[in-house]
């Protein structure tokens, strides 16, 4: 049996999640799925049963929040009845309270009173999905929504007290902890929709995560949205585009934030992604910086131009290794917008008109960096992207 530590995520063996896979969707009766719990206390007595001669079983005090009852619940459960989950992606600072045992009470109060916290398991419950069958339109289809049965609230620390109990070591084994627990309790307050009032609870510090204050960053983003400015966002993992016929990669994209969404304890930004040509959801850590960029700093003149003189789209406005934002009509008369990186210009003679024409051969970001041939006569609009290589391919010196 694997060992457990304070702050570990655990659940009964019948939970459908696997140790490292927390994205399994739940069908049938999702209400029978048990909560993800956080270990708040461990009892591992160095004792043996006088009748059987076996060592006493390890007991774990596990915490979760019940939205139906509107309160925290803790249960002592034998370790062998539980399975442990790896940490999940979170925007909490879950390490903030792991080392506070070395600080005195007054220092902690000055540091943490009136700050916001949440049970560390919040992201497990926030991202839990259940599937159900919907036949309202006469067709049976599978749909999904969030299963928020055990979603813990965001709370404010209103007091900090020392735990009346103490960590206890074994009297027979060196450096063996017989009883492990949090040295401090946080008294937390939150609005309880179950009672339509406020609730308070003393909660072990080590099962809580620190909610990072994003107010100043959100104010910056709101200002950028109001001015219709742009940001550079970094691509991660499988979203990085490898440019065909090149050793270069697209590691950043241009986005225009549209709106801000609050997701229980952190903010998300819906923004239009110019590389993928659709609206996507981002978190603040996706952005290379929050220095908004005005449109004239990114986009040069657009062709064709209809000002003092008419300037059409010709092969001369396209330069190799430069990025362009184009509007293109394909053979099926479907019009799409996309960002391309020009590789070269390929002349050809139109067999129908016997006229000299050009293909613009380029990496297309809308097609994951693959090489495409764009008929110059079918390009309806083209705008050069200023410093496109630095924007899309460089990590540093973007602005």
């Amino acid at each position: 049996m694997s060992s457990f530590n304070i702050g570990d995520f655990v659940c009964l063996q019948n939970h459908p999640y696997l140790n490292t896979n927390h994205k399994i969707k739940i069908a049938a009766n999702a209400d029978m799925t048990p909560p993800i719990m956080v270990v708040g206390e461990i009892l591992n007595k160095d004792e043996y049963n006088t009748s059987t001669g076996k060592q006493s079983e390890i007991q774990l005090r596990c915490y979760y929040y019940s939205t139906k009852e509107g309160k925290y619940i803790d249960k002592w459960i034998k370790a062998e009845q539980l399975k442990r989950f790896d940490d999940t992606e979170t925007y909490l600072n879950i390490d903030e309270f792991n080392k506070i045992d070395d600080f005195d009470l007054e220092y902690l109060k000055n540091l943490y009173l009136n700050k916001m916290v949440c049970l560390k398991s919040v992201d497990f419950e926030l991202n839990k999905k259940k599937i159900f069958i919907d036949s309202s339109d006469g067709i049976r289809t599978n749909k999904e929504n969030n299963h928020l049965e055990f979603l813990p609230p965001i709370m404010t620390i209103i007091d900090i007290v020392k735990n009346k109990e103490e960590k206890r070591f074994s009297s027979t084994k060196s450096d063996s902890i017989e009883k492990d627990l949090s040295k401090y309790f946080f008294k937390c307050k939150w609005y309880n929709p179950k009672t339509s009032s406020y609730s308070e609870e003393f909660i072990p510090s080590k099962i809580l995560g620190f909610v990072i204050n994003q107010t100043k960053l959100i104010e910056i983003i709101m200002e950028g949205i109001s001015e219709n400015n742009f940001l550079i966002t970094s691509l991660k993992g499988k979203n990085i585009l490898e440019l065909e016929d090149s050793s270069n990669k697209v590691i950043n994209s241009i986005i225009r934030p549209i709106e801000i969404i609050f997701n229980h304890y952190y903010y998300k930004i819906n923004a239009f992604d110019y590389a993928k040509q659709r609206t996507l959801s981002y978190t603040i850590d996706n952005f290379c910086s929050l220095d908004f960029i005005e449109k004239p700093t990114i986009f040069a003149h657009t062709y064709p131009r209809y000002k003092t003189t008419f300037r059409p789209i010709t092969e001369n406005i396209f330069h190799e290794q430069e990025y362009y934002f184009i509007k293109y009509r394909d053979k099926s008369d479907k019009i799409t917008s996309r960002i391309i990186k020009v590789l070269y210009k390929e002349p050809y003679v139109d067999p129908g008109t016997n006229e000299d024409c050009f293909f613009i051969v380029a990496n297309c970001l809308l097609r994951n960096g693959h090489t495409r041939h764009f008929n110059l006569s079918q390009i309806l609009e083209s705008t050069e992207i200023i410093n496109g290589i630095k924007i899309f391919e460089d990590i540093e010196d973007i602005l």
Side-chain angles (χ1 to χ4, degrees):
M1 182 184 65
S2 59
S3 60
F4 293 88
N5 297 303
I6 298 291
D8 281 352
F9 302 112
V10 297
C11 192
L12 296 179
Q13 297 286 352
N14 64 331
H15 198 286
Y17 284 179
L18 304 180
N19 182 273
T20 57
N21 191 333
H22 313 143
K23 295 183 179 181
I24 296 172
K25 298 174 184 178
I26 305 167
N29 189 353
D31 291 340
M32 299 184 71
T33 306
I36 304 293
M37 302 176 289
V38 187
V39 177
E41 191 172 336
I42 300 174
L43 187 61
N44 184 16
K45 289 187 176 182
D46 186 23
E47 296 177 351
Y48 290 84
N49 187 300
T50 56
S51 300
T52 63
K54 295 182 178 180
Q55 187 174 7
S56 300
E57 295 169 314
I58 300 173
Q59 300 275 341
L60 306 179
R61 191 175 188 177
C62 305
Y63 290 77
Y64 68 95
Y65 184 80
S66 171
T67 54
K68 281 186 178 179
E69 298 186 43
K71 65 179 182 179
Y72 282 90
I73 297 175
D74 63 279
K75 296 289 184 182
W76 282 100
I77 304 176
K78 295 178 181 180
E80 63 182 13
Q81 297 174 1
L82 298 168
K83 60 180 178 180
R84 183 175 56 194
F85 298 116
D86 289 351
D87 292 351
T88 190
E89 182 180 358
T90 184
Y91 301 101
L92 289 175
N93 183 344
I94 61 173
D95 298 322
E96 180 74 15
F97 306 127
N98 286 342
K99 299 179 181 179
I100 66 173
D101 289 3
D102 297 331
F103 301 110
D104 62 53
L105 193 57
E106 290 305 313
Y107 174 81
L108 294 178
K109 287 185 177 182
N110 291 333
L111 191 61
Y112 293 123
L113 283 185
N114 302 314
K115 299 296 176 64
M116 292 188 296
V117 293
C118 189
L119 192 66
K120 289 169 60 174
S121 59
V122 59
D123 291 281
F124 282 97
E125 304 300 344
L126 184 60
N127 299 320
K128 190 183 292 181
K129 305 290 184 182
K130 65 178 179 180
I131 297 176
F132 62 96
I133 297 175
D134 180 24
S135 56
S136 57
D137 57 358
I139 302 174
R140 290 170 60 88
T141 56
N142 283 336
K143 294 187 176 181
E144 68 175 57
N145 59 18
N146 294 324
H147 183 53
L148 305 177
E149 182 61 37
F150 305 108
L151 183 66
I154 306 303
M155 305 173 293
T156 301
I157 301 173
I158 60 174
D159 197 9
I160 303 176
V161 299
K162 190 174 181 180
N163 195 343
K164 294 179 181 179
E165 298 186 57
E166 297 281 351
K167 180 181 291 190
R168 189 166 64 238
F169 288 85
S170 171
S171 59
T172 58
K173 295 182 180 179
S174 175
D175 296 326
S176 177
I177 299 175
E178 187 175 279
K179 186 176 185 179
D180 197 8
L181 40 72
S182 294
K183 182 178 179 179
Y184 294 104
F185 277 88
F186 289 168
K187 187 177 183 181
C188 300
K189 175 181 283 190
W190 72 95
Y191 175 74
N192 193 334
K194 187 68 178 179
T195 61
S196 298
S197 183
Y198 290 91
S199 295
E200 297 177 2
E201 184 83 28
F202 284 99
I203 303 175
S205 62
K206 290 186 179 180
I207 70 171
L208 296 173
F210 185 73
V211 177
I212 299 170
N213 190 333
Q214 299 179 315
T215 303
K216 291 183 179 179
L217 300 177
I218 292 302
E219 289 175 350
I220 294 172
I221 294 172
M222 290 178 67
E223 183 178 353
I225 291 175
S226 66
E227 296 176 355
N228 287 319
N229 287 336
F230 298 80
L231 285 172
I232 306 300
T233 180
S234 58
L235 304 179
K236 298 179 180 179
K238 62 181 181 180
N239 292 319
I240 293 175
L241 303 179
E242 295 187 7
L243 299 179
E244 189 176 2
D245 299 325
S246 170
S247 60
N248 298 329
K249 297 179 180 180
V250 171
I251 60 175
N252 303 311
S253 184
I254 300 170
I255 66 170
R256 181 173 60 82
I258 300 171
E259 60 185 355
I260 297 172
I261 308 296
F262 183 65
N263 193 33
H264 194 60
Y265 75 92
Y266 65 94
Y267 291 91
K268 302 174 74 173
I269 295 89
N270 285 346
F272 184 78
D273 187 306
Y274 275 74
K276 297 182 179 179
Q277 284 295 294
R278 64 178 186 269
T279 299
L280 299 172
S281 183
Y282 299 87
T283 53
I284 293 175
D285 64 323
N286 286 124
F287 304 137
C288 297
S289 85
L290 285 179
D291 294 327
F292 274 85
I293 312 169
E294 295 181 353
K295 185 175 182 178
T297 308
I298 298 178
F299 298 102
H301 296 304
T302 298
Y303 292 87
R305 301 184 68 192
Y306 301 92
K307 291 190 176 181
T308 55
T309 59
F310 176 65
R311 298 183 180 181
I313 295 177
T314 66
E315 72 278 4
N316 294 326
I317 71 170
F318 292 95
H319 305 285
E320 294 182 5
Q321 301 304 308
E322 295 294 341
Y323 281 86
Y324 295 84
F325 178 54
I326 66 170
K327 187 178 291 184
Y328 187 71
R329 179 191 289 120
D330 63 17
K331 294 180 180 179
S332 303
D333 284 336
K334 181 180 179 181
I335 298 175
T336 57
S337 297
R338 58 187 76 200
I339 289 177
I340 64 172
K341 181 184 181 183
V342 175
L343 297 174
Y344 56 91
K345 294 172 280 189
E346 183 178 284
Y348 74 100
V349 177
D350 190 311
T353 63
N354 206 35
E355 293 180 355
D356 293 334
C357 300
F358 279 90
F359 280 121
I360 304 300
V361 184
N363 296 119
C364 178
L365 303 196
L366 187 62
R367 299 294 179 253
N368 298 319
H370 294 165
T371 302
R372 292 291 186 270
H373 288 65
F374 299 95
N375 191 325
L376 183 65
S377 64
Q378 299 295 101
I379 298 177
L380 306 180
E381 195 173 276
S382 176
T383 306
E384 182 179 350
I385 298 175
I386 302 170
N387 294 325
I389 290 180
K390 283 190 175 183
I391 288 176
F392 292 105
E393 300 178 21
D394 286 359
I395 296 177
E396 301 177 353
D397 299 326
I398 292 173
L399 303 179

